Structure formats: structure tokens, C-alpha cells
Amino acid sequence: QVQVVESGGGSVQPGGSLRLSCTVAGSTYNINCMGWFRQAAGREREQVAVIAVDGGSRSSYADSVAGRFTISRDRAKNTVLDMNGLKPEDTAMYYCAAVIACPSKYSGKWVPAFGYWGQGTQVTVSS
């Protein structure tokens, strides 16, 4: 079993910053990619950012967050999403996923059909 837990959501004013962190526990030996995804009310889940866990440079970002958000892995192997320049349209429930199969193309649009998902953490950007 794999357990995925997100933390770090909250409320922030436009232009502000937040850091989300994702911790994975359990049988993680076959996890090859980690990703952050979000789902706003009335909309489908979409990719925010994805990163391979092999220590390489493969990653992707949705066009809407490129240049503002950064995905990384820290020494404890948590997957961190640094979000800067937040906009009201970034308001959503943010989910972390641990995935066995990485995307064939790091296009910023991939949402895995199968993965281990966390419960989500709410991000609200409002003045």
C-alpha cells in the first residue's frame, strides 16, 4: 500500500505565495513520477506539475502556471510545489499523486488514469 498526504494549503491574497508538500509512505519502490494536480469547482482535474523521481530533470508544468510554480524533491523525498504570483484562478483543491508510469510526453496536460492520490489540500486566492 502507498499513502499520500498533502500539506500546506491555505488562503492567500493575489500575488502571494504558498508552498505545498507531499509525503509518500509505504511500498514506494515502483513509484516513478510524482505530480500535483488541481480541481476547481465545476471543472475537471488538471495537471499542475509533474516530476520524475529518478533525480533527473524531467518535469512539466501546465501553461497556466509555468514560470510561477516550481516542483521539486527535497532531501526527505517529499515533493514540494512552490507557488508564487498566485492568482484567483489558481483557487482549487490541490492533489498530490504518486504514479508508477510517467507520461510519455511531459506536455503539462497529462493526468494519470491510475495512481495513488492524497485527500487534497485547499488553496484559495482571494482579496
Side-chain angles (χ1 to χ4, degrees):
Q1 281 286 4
V2 175
Q3 297 83 41
V4 178
V5 179
E6 307 98 337
S7 62
S11 296
V12 65
Q13 293 186 342
S17 300
L18 283 174
R19 168 173 283 191
L20 305 184
S21 184
C22 175
T23 300
V24 181
S27 300
T28 62
Y29 67 94
N30 60 348
I31 300 301
N32 293 300
C33 267
M34 295 295 301
W36 284 97
F37 303 82
R38 67 186 182 187
Q39 188 166 16
R43 302 189 66 174
E44 294 186 353
R45 192 169 295 189
E46 63 178 3
Q47 184 191 135
V48 177
V50 168
I51 188 168
V53 304
D54 61 1
S57 61
R58 290 173 297 168
S59 63
S60 65
Y61 296 88
D63 290 343
S64 58
V65 307
R68 298 188 296 124
F69 292 10
T70 302
I71 190 170
S72 62
R73 302 263 292 166
D74 65 17
R75 291 183 177 182
K77 298 186 178 180
N78 299 314
T79 302
V80 176
L81 184 69
D82 286 304
M83 304 186 294
N84 298 307
L86 282 160
K87 304 175 181 180
E89 51 263 43
D90 294 318
T91 295
M93 185 70 78
Y94 283 69
Y95 298 91
C96 179
V99 187
I100 296 173
C102 290
S104 57
K105 294 182 180 180
Y106 286 75
S107 64
K109 300 182 185 299
W110 172 77
V111 178
F114 300 100
Y116 300 99
W117 294 86
Q119 294 297 308
T121 184
Q122 179 67 36
V123 171
T124 302
V125 185
S126 174
S127 56

